[in-house]
Amino acid sequence: MSPRSASVNEELRRRSRERLLQAAVELVGERGYDATTLGDIADRAGSARGLVSYYFPGKRQLVQSAVHRLMHRTLEEALEREPRTEDGRERMARAIDAILGLARDRPVLMRQHMAGILQAEGFMQCPEQRRLAELLRDTMVRHGTPDVDSDYPMMRALLMGSVYAALVPGVPMPVPVLRAELFKRYRLDWELGLPPETGARGGRGDKDLSRFFATGAAPECGPPDQSK
């Protein structure tokens, strides 16, 4: 049997990494962060346990990358769904609804993600997070911001704060209330995006996440840098 080509090996590595990301999202969403081990993730992904450390420095980095992938692809799907539009206000509304929708529909996963960001390791940079940031920055530009370098960090902070407020145990704020405040800030009409009363794609009943974890090759997560 002839040895596999470099391109075949690269594709196999990509698929292995994708399976680990998907397994991390599924298991943390089902069990929580502490009850999920790297061995559990490797087993769910059908991968050798040593491969986890090959791709990711540790469990926290793996889980953050996995959640950022889910956020990036959920946002991408919302922005590109039919009818497609280049209207900046509609795209801003879709972006807000996509992120708030994850807090509403996947509370365990998103609560664990927010808690992880507040740990000593803090916010970690990886390819998935950078893709998410690029999409959000582009949304700000299309919405008409005159200064994306200042306005994007504020939008990110407002979205993170809203997700946190929606997930506080015992005293969560209703997503429609948070949505109304964000829509007011960005001067968006309530009927834009995906209003709560219309229902949401990818909600609690959507168990198959495979479409979010089948993209092109991506480099491994590296050490954090200062750009976000």
Side-chain angles (χ1 to χ4, degrees), residues 152-202:
Y152 163 67
M154 177 57 70
M155 180 197 189
R156 183 184 62 209
L158 291 169
L159 286 173
M160 290 177 67
S162 295
V163 169
Y164 177 84
L167 298 174
V168 176
V171 288
M173 288 191 67
V175 166
V177 173
L178 296 165
R179 181 183 193 266
E181 286 299 311
L182 289 169
F183 272 43
K184 179 179 178 181
R185 176 181 180 87
Y186 292 107
R187 298 181 175 86
L188 304 174
D189 298 329
W190 182 260
E191 62 269 18
L192 294 175
L194 194 65
E197 61 270 16
T198 66
R201 292 176 59 188

Side-chain angles (χ1 to χ4, degrees), residues 2-20:
S2 59
R4 291 193 297 256
S5 67
S7 62
V8 170
N9 285 329
E10 178 62 26
E11 176 64 13
L12 291 173
R13 286 193 291 269
R14 183 189 70 79
R15 292 182 182 182
S16 178
R17 187 177 186 277
E18 303 292 340
R19 288 196 299 268
L20 289 170

Side-chain angles (χ1 to χ4, degrees), residues 7-221:
S7 62
V8 170
N9 285 329
E10 178 62 26
E11 176 64 13
L12 291 173
R13 286 193 291 269
R14 183 189 70 79
R15 292 182 182 182
S16 178
R17 187 177 186 277
E18 303 292 340
R19 288 196 299 268
L20 289 170
L21 291 171
Q22 181 176 342
V25 161
E26 291 173 349
L27 286 170
V28 173
E30 294 167 9
R31 307 176 183 177
Y33 181 83
D34 291 334
T36 299
T37 68
L38 287 174
D40 294 333
I41 294 171
D43 290 345
R44 173 70 67 90
S47 299
R49 299 190 182 193
L51 278 179
V52 180
S53 57
Y54 175 80
Y55 293 114
F56 303 96
K59 185 170 75 168
R60 184 69 66 189
Q61 290 89 342
L62 167 55
V63 172
Q64 278 204 30
S65 291
V67 176
H68 282 137
R69 164 64 66 82
L70 179 61
M71 294 174 71
H72 161 243
R73 293 302 304 277
T74 298
L75 176 59
E76 183 177 61
E77 185 175 86
L79 293 173
E80 299 304 317
R81 74 167 184 265
E82 298 295 339
R84 297 183 63 179
T85 179
E86 299 300 319
D87 180 75
R89 297 174 73 249
E90 171 64 20
R91 292 178 72 86
M92 177 68 81
R94 291 186 184 190
I96 292 171
D97 285 336
I99 301 303
L100 291 182
L102 284 171
R104 178 194 61 233
D105 299 332
R106 305 191 188 278
V108 174
L109 178 67
M110 296 304 292
R111 189 178 292 119
Q112 298 296 312
H113 177 61
M114 296 301 294
I117 291 175
L118 297 175
Q119 297 297 316
E121 298 93 338
F123 189 86
M124 300 172 187
Q125 294 288 316
C126 68
E128 283 74 24
Q129 186 277 328
R130 288 193 285 272
R131 292 189 184 96
L132 174 63
E134 288 167 4
L135 268 184
L136 287 173
R137 286 177 65 92
D138 179 70
T139 300
M140 292 294 301
V141 170
R142 292 175 188 239
H143 185 252
T145 176
D147 185 0
V148 67
D149 290 333
S150 296
D151 292 341
Y152 163 67
M154 177 57 70
M155 180 197 189
R156 183 184 62 209
L158 291 169
L159 286 173
M160 290 177 67
S162 295
V163 169
Y164 177 84
L167 298 174
V168 176
V171 288
M173 288 191 67
V175 166
V177 173
L178 296 165
R179 181 183 193 266
E181 286 299 311
L182 289 169
F183 272 43
K184 179 179 178 181
R185 176 181 180 87
Y186 292 107
R187 298 181 175 86
L188 304 174
D189 298 329
W190 182 260
E191 62 269 18
L192 294 175
L194 194 65
E197 61 270 16
T198 66
R201 292 176 59 188
R204 290 184 180 87
D206 186 6
K207 301 297 185 181
D208 184 7
L209 301 178
S210 59
R211 69 185 186 280
F212 296 125
F213 296 92
T215 62
E220 301 168 24
C221 282

